[in-house]
């Protein structure tokens, strides 16, 4: 019932904002995508803020993420600042490019009020330019190793076997699972899995100046080689698309996968799965010095724009999503939002065991792993690089192309469209 009420509240606020019914002198206009998670989160934060700030009103505008990016870019290029909101949600993959190209459009007020030590470095670093932090970290993209314990036990293994693993050690477990059960030990979407591997070693596909980092990226080469080795051993299910990937896990065709914290609701849809799953920290690349048992797939964060009411917007974000464990408890309970606000891990809600995962304190674990993710750069040309790698990664893992060939061709392809 709480979830339904929260969703109805979010939708009412969105409709009010879009219909132009919000009036007054102190109005914060907010753009976001996804009414379920993002919409409910920001509207619930607004309700909390308004209990102490009755004179502040909110106008919420929900649109598709791609439409928002187009609308923002069009307004920025045209100099039409009045059409932009006070607060905007941006994906962690696109925000660094916007901060570089349109830096003068973003306000710096959050840098003065937010305690960024309460958030993981991997979220803070991409929103930092010349020592100034521009955003407020939001949802958690940290990944875990999701494992079907029924298949694990059928293979003669236990949860303890999956602690503090390297990928080479996982290879041994994967072969045992495949041989003992006939099931695949691991399922992936190849390009997403590649990103998780390189992020676990603190890099992406670009350099600090935004230039491409493909051809000379030794961590990328090691990651691609590891994936080729994994696939060659016959225990990996190579999903053709998202539906196939989810099906391989929910249907019990594969025992394990690495995915973000947001994958929990998908696992919980498995009929009869309660008590049969656990989430371990991800394996680390043993071929790369300094690689961690932690990685992330990104996420999104909130930003304040120069044209709006910067001081009020900064106070609103900082006093709610920037510092309230109570708010994050509510959002976890109602819509399953996993915070990047590290102190939330100490709340009773986050420390509570989840019976679907055998009583494991999965949300506290996610926040612990968040703080261990090595910072990595996602800057201009990162998407271009990933798209080019996506062209060749499946050929690499299947042994149809060498890592060196794929790296060279990816670099050449990316250079054609890189900025």
């Amino acid at each position: 019932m709480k979830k339904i009420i929260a969703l109805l509240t979010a939708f009412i606020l969105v409709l009010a904002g879009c219909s132009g019914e919000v009036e007054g002198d102190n109005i914060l206009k907010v753009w976001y995508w996804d009414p379920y998670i993002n919409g409910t989160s920001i509207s619930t934060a607004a309700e909390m803020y308004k209990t102490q700030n009755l004179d502040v009103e909110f106008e919420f505008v929900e649109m598709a993420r791609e439409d928002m990016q187009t609308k923002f870019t069009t307004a920025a290029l045209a100099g039409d600042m009045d059409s932009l909101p006070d607060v905007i949600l941006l994906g962690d993959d696109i925000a660094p490019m916007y901060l570089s190209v349109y830096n003068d459009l973003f306000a710096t007020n959050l840098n003065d009020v937010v305690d960024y030590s309460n958030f993981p470095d991997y979220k803070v670093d991409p929103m930092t330019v010349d020592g100034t932090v521009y955003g407020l970290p939001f949802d958690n993209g940290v990944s875990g190793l999701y494992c079907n314990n029924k298949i694990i036990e059928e293979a003669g293994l236990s949860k303890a076997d999956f602690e503090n693993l390297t990928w080479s050690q996982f290879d041994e477990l994967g072969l045992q699972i495949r041989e003992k059960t006939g099931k695949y030990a691991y399922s992936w979407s190849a390009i997403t899995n590649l990103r998780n591997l390189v992020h676990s070693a603190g890099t992406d596909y670009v350099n600090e100046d935004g230039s491409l980092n493909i051809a000379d990226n030794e961590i990328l080469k090691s990651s691609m080689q590891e994936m080729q080795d994994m696939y060659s051993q016959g225990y990996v299910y190579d999903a053709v698309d998202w539906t196939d990937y989810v099906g391989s896990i929910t249907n019990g065709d594969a025992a394990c996968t690495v995915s973000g914290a947001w994958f929990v609701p998908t696992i919980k849809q498995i009929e009869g799965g309660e008590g049969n799953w656990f989430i371990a920290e991800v394996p680390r690349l043993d071929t790369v010095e300094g690689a961690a048992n932690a990685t992330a797939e990104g996420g999104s964060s909130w930003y304040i724009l120069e044209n709006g009411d910067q001081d009020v917007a900064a106070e609103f974000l900082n006093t709610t999503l920037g510092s309230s464990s109570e708010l994050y408890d509510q959002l976890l309970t109602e819509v399953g939002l996993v915070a990047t606000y590290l102190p939330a891990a100490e709340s009773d809600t986050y420390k509570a065991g989840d019976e679907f995962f055998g009583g494991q304190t999965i949300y506290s674990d996610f926040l612990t792993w968040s703080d261990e993710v090595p910072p990595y750069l996602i800057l201009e040309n990162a998407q271009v690089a990933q798209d080019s790698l996506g062209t060749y990664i499946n050929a690499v893992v299947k042994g149809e192309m060498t890592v060196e060939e794929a790296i060279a061709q990816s670099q050449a392809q990316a250079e054609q469209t890189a900025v």
Side-chain angles (χ1 to χ4, degrees), residues 337-390:
L337 174 81
V338 182
T340 51
Y341 180 62
L342 298 174
E346 300 304 314
S347 74
D348 290 341
T349 302
Y350 271 76
K351 291 195 305 188
D354 190 309
E355 292 309 312
F356 192 95
F357 293 92
Q360 180 182 351
T361 56
I362 60 171
Y363 299 112
S364 179
D365 288 343
F366 278 133
L367 279 176
T368 297
W369 299 333
S370 292
D371 206 25
E372 297 169 357
V373 176
Y376 53 84
L377 290 169
I378 300 181
L379 299 175
E380 204 170 4
N381 294 320
Q383 189 61 50
V384 170
Q386 176 160 302
D387 290 345
S388 68
L389 288 163

Side-chain angles (χ1 to χ4, degrees), residues 100-142:
S100 173
V101 177
Y102 307 111
N103 185 262
D104 58 338
L105 299 186
F106 291 87
T108 62
N109 301 60
L110 287 171
N111 184 80
D112 299 327
V113 295
V114 175
D115 181 358
Y116 287 103
S117 68
N118 287 327
F119 297 90
D121 291 341
Y122 89 89
K123 291 285 284 191
V124 176
D125 281 17
M127 58 176 62
T128 304
V129 179
D130 296 330
T132 298
V133 190
Y134 284 81
L136 181 74
F138 181 46
D139 59 335
N140 201 324
V142 69

